[in-house]
């Protein structure tokens, strides 16, 4: 019984550290402005976040980031057409920078669902809880999800028990 309690505490600690890590990982255009003193470090983070090949960026990725942040779609399309950069890499950079055309609810759903998965919840449970978090925040499950995303260990532990009030009705 004591072993189980220790394992639960370890699991909560790992979950919290992962939640903190992922909640601070967001890179935006200001972070990857060449004038930023942390430019290269931020570009490395962006390359990892966008899952570029070998988590590495090159001058074409740098140009694409600049074009994305400046809204220069024409130059970006030209670089894709000439084979300087793959469209999939551009889209990954766009999404990682938060420039995709998804609504704020859609972005919140994706972020929360991924975070719940990283906390050890099943795919179905992560989806259910993300639905409550983005569509019914005032519900019991929505509030529990919010506390879990804020790093509350008790809320995380409760979500990991798959409470019956966190089952989304898709009908």
């Amino acid at each position: 019984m004591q072993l189980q309690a220790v394992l639960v505490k370890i699991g909560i600690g790992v979950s919290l550290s992962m939640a903190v890590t992922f909640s601070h990982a967001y890179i935006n255009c200001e972070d990857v402005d060449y004038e930023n003193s942390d430019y290269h470090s931020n570009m490395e983070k962006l390359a990892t976040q966008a899952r570029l090949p070998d988590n590495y960026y090159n001058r074409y990725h740098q140009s694409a980031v600049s074009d994305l942040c400046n809204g220069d779609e024409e130059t970006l399309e030209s670089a894709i057409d000439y084979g300087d950069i793959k469209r999939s890499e551009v889209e990954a950079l766009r999404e990682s920078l938060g420039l995709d055309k998804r609504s704020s609810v859609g972005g919140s759903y994706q972020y929360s669902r991924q975070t719940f998965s990283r906390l050890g919840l099943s795919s179905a449970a992560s989806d259910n809880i993300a639905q409550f978090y983005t569509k019914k925040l005032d519900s019991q499950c929505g509030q529990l999800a919010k506390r879990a995303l804020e790093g509350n260990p008790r809320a995380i532990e409760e979500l990991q028990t798959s409470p019956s009030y966190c089952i989304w009705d898709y009908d």
Side-chain angles (χ1 to χ4, degrees), residues 71-90:
D72 190 353
E73 293 292 328
E74 188 175 319
T75 302
L76 202 51
E77 284 298 319
S78 178
I80 293 168
D81 290 344
Y82 284 114
D84 294 336
I85 189 168
K86 294 178 180 178
R87 182 172 304 280
S88 60
E89 293 173 355
V90 170

Side-chain angles (χ1 to χ4, degrees), residues 42-62 64-65 68 85-94 96:
N42 291 335
M43 280 297 295
E44 289 173 2
K45 290 176 188 173
L46 180 62
T48 301
Q49 197 173 28
R51 296 182 178 158
L52 296 179
D54 298 323
N55 294 325
Y56 177 78
Y57 69 95
N58 60 38
R59 66 186 180 112
Y60 299 112
H61 295 121
Q62 289 175 294
V65 167
L68 284 166
I85 189 168
K86 294 178 180 178
R87 182 172 304 280
S88 60
E89 293 173 355
V90 170
E91 293 307 317
L93 289 168
R94 183 187 316 273
S96 294

Side-chain angles (χ1 to χ4, degrees), residues 11 15 120:
S15 298

Side-chain angles (χ1 to χ4, degrees), residues 102 104-119 121-123 125-135 137 142 145-146 148-149 159:
R102 196 170 323 143
S104 60
V105 171
S108 179
Y109 167 81
Q110 179 185 15
Y111 164 77
S112 61
R113 185 178 186 286
Q114 289 175 347
T115 303
F116 296 135
S117 289
R118 289 183 190 114
L119 292 175
L121 301 177
S122 70
S123 179
S126 297
D127 181 71
N128 284 327
I129 296 166
Q131 295 287 352
F132 278 100
Y133 178 71
T134 57
K135 296 178 180 174
L137 184 59
K146 180 181 180 201
L149 289 173
L159 283 178

